[in-house]
Structures are given as structure tokens and as C-alpha cells.
Amino acid sequence: MFTNFPLFPQQASVQAGQVDAIYFFVVAITAFFSLIIAGAIAFFAAKYRRRHDAEVGVAIHGSLILEILWSVIPFFLTMGMFAWGAKVFFDLYRPPAGAMEIFVVGKQWMWKIQHMDGQREINELHVPVGRPVKLIMGSEDVIHSFYIPAFRVKADVIPGRYNTLWFEATKPGTYHLFCAEYCGTKHSGMTGRVVAMDPADYQAWLSGGSASDSPVAAGEKLFQDLVCNTCHIQGSQGRGPVLTNLFGNTVELQDGGRVTADEAYIRESIVNPQAKIVAGFQPIMPTFQGLVTEEQLLQLIAYVRSLSAQGTAPSPAGTAAPTMPQKSDQPVQEPRKPGR
Ligand code: HEC
Ligand SMILES: [Cu+2]
């Protein structure tokens, strides 16, 4: 309809229709009541205007029926908006299980993206249509916000923690990608494009180009380069805890607390090891704050995740065999050591 002057971005994800539906519903209700109220004001002002100086108004005694109606009807309308909005909100913020994962790092002033196969891109994100995609996002410096208008999704990207965003593209095409949080002088230039492709084209794109190490392989290499492996020895208890099957499990802490080993916990264990000490261990792990970039942290996390049965990320669309390095000498399924 408005192809030359689009008032609205096109709908290109499963979320887009849901978000627009509630948006238009709220706009329609608001417009309807605004018109009724404005119209009534004008109509009554004319109808009951004072006609001569001596005119005295007639006392009225209110109407219970009217008052109940104009309280109860708006009550149900607004509660309807609330319930519907909450449903859409939860759907937007809960990625479905089995979504394809992609790492995103925001940095003044660019978006760095790494696929689980190792493909890297800057200010471009290639995704397959018809498959839920979950972005795991961190920031190298300040708060950014990852925004794809055509998908109706937006989420802050915050230094020091991970945030996720998910969508499922429905139409192949190229869409705008914006940073939606003022992040410095070149904020307005922090844009890019999202390319949604048919799964076959996406597979071809993945296998072409210059794939670097997968995040897991890069993380494994870092694990050796940063000599993590001198304390965290594979399969046997060293000076540090065994990291096999850590991800997704509960860790008992020195202070008697418990914590689930998720991305945020592993990140904290690396940049601020003293924050939570694992029960039975000495606080001897040095901090790696400043020694590893946000991207390298994501790679280390990907590696630690790959050591756990629960942590293995699902393979991208169409790939039959997992592309992550599978080590046969690792007791991946072995339960964590008791007494931790
Ligand atoms: C000097 C030995 C040492 C080095 C080097 C070391 N760690 Fe640790 N690490 C420890 C100790 C001891 C603990 C347990 C005490 C604690 O929580 O701080 C630990 C805890 C951890 C934990 C939490 C484990 C759990 O079971 O909850 C993770 C994850 C971790 N280290 C990752 C790393 C990574 C990644 C590196 C390299 C970048 C590294 N460590 C380097 C000694 C070390
Ligand atoms: Cu930004």
C-alpha cells in the first residue's frame, strides 16, 4: 500500500504479526474513546450552552447505571490489553528450546557476530527463515541495543552480562539492523543488515566464505593459551575444579550457597573468580579481567558448555552431523564428582 512511503516496517518474523496486532488494538481503542469523548464535549457544550443571562442550571442526581458502565467496560478493556500484552511479552522474551544460537558482541560502533560453525561477520547477520534463532549478546564497552524493526524485536546489549533475543524470520529478504541506544558520537552509524535466507541458501552461505575456528574450537585453544588447563585438568581433580559437565548443573559454594552454572556464572568465574568460590577449593584463580575480550569470553564459555551434555548447542538448519569438534577421549557423559 505505502511502498514508497512506508509508515510501517514490513512484517518479516513470526513475532511481527503478534506485536502489530496488539499495537493496532490499543491504538484503535484509544482512537475510539478519544473521538467519543471529544465529540461529546463539543456536542454538550453546544447543546447546553447558556442561552440568556438569567438562566439557571437544573440539578442532576447522577446515574448509577452509567457510572457502573463507564467503570466496568474500561476495566475489562484495559485488563484485556494487559493479559494480551503480557502473553506477547513472554513469548518475545522466552526463546523456544532448540533455537539456533548465534553470538553477538556490540562495540563502539559495530556489531560483531559469530555463528556456531565459526563464520564471522560484522554489521551483517545471516539467518535461515523458518527456524528460531537465539542471539546471545554481550557488549565490549557501553550499553547498545540490538534492533530489527522488520522482526519487531529489540533488546539491550549490556556490558558485564549476557542478554538474549530471539526471532524466527518468515520471509527471505534484507532488513535493517539498528543500534537503538545512544552509545556515543557514531551511534547513528551503528547500523547493519539482517539477511534472511532460505535454509538451503543459508547452508550454502555457511559453507562458503572464510570460516574461522568455531567458537568451541577457539575457546579450547584459548583455554590452553591462557593456561587454564594447568589448574583445570581434564578428567582429574587439579588445583581447580573439573569443568566437565559443569554447564547447566548446580554448583555448591564455599559460603553454603548454590548457583546454577549458566553463561553468566562462567563469565563471572573468569573475570571475577573471587565473587563465588566453589566449595572445597582455594581462591587461587587469578582474574582474567582485561586479558580476554568479550568475544574471547564467549568462546571460552562455548568451550566450557561443550564439555557438558546439556551444553551442546543445536546444529544449524540442515546440518546432519554436529559440526563441533567431538573429542572421544573426553568423558562427556560422566557425572560430576561428588562432594563438590
Ligand atoms: C591458578 C589456577 C587456575 C587457573 C590458571 C584458572 N583457574 Fe579457574 N578455578 C580455579 C580454582 C581454584 C577454582 C575454584 C575456586 C573459585 O571458584 O574461584 C576455579 C573455578 C573456575 C570456574 C568455576 C568452576 C565451578 O565448578 O564452578 C570456572 C568456570 C573456571 N575456573 C574457568 C577458568 C578458565 C576459563 C580459566 C582460564 C582463562 C581458568 N579458570 C584459570 C583455579 C584456576
Ligand atoms: Cu550502539
Side-chain angles (χ1 to χ4, degrees), residues 1 35 40 69 97 156 183 192 205 223 233 252 263 268 281 310:
M1 187 170 38
L35 287 178
L69 281 182
D156 278 5
C183 59
W205 175 85
F223 201 76
I233 299 163
E252 302 206 358
E263 283 96 351
E268 186 190 61
F281 289 90
Q310 277 137 298

Side-chain angles (χ1 to χ4, degrees), residues 144 179 181 183 187 190:
H144 302 276
C179 176
E181 179 78 51
C183 59
H187 159 70
M190 193 166 160

Side-chain angles (χ1 to χ4, degrees), residues 107-110 144 179 182-191:
K107 181 175 183 237
Q108 286 168 323
W109 288 275
M110 63 172 92
H144 302 276
C179 176
Y182 180 69
C183 59
T185 47
K186 298 210 184 90
H187 159 70
S188 61
M190 193 166 160
T191 59

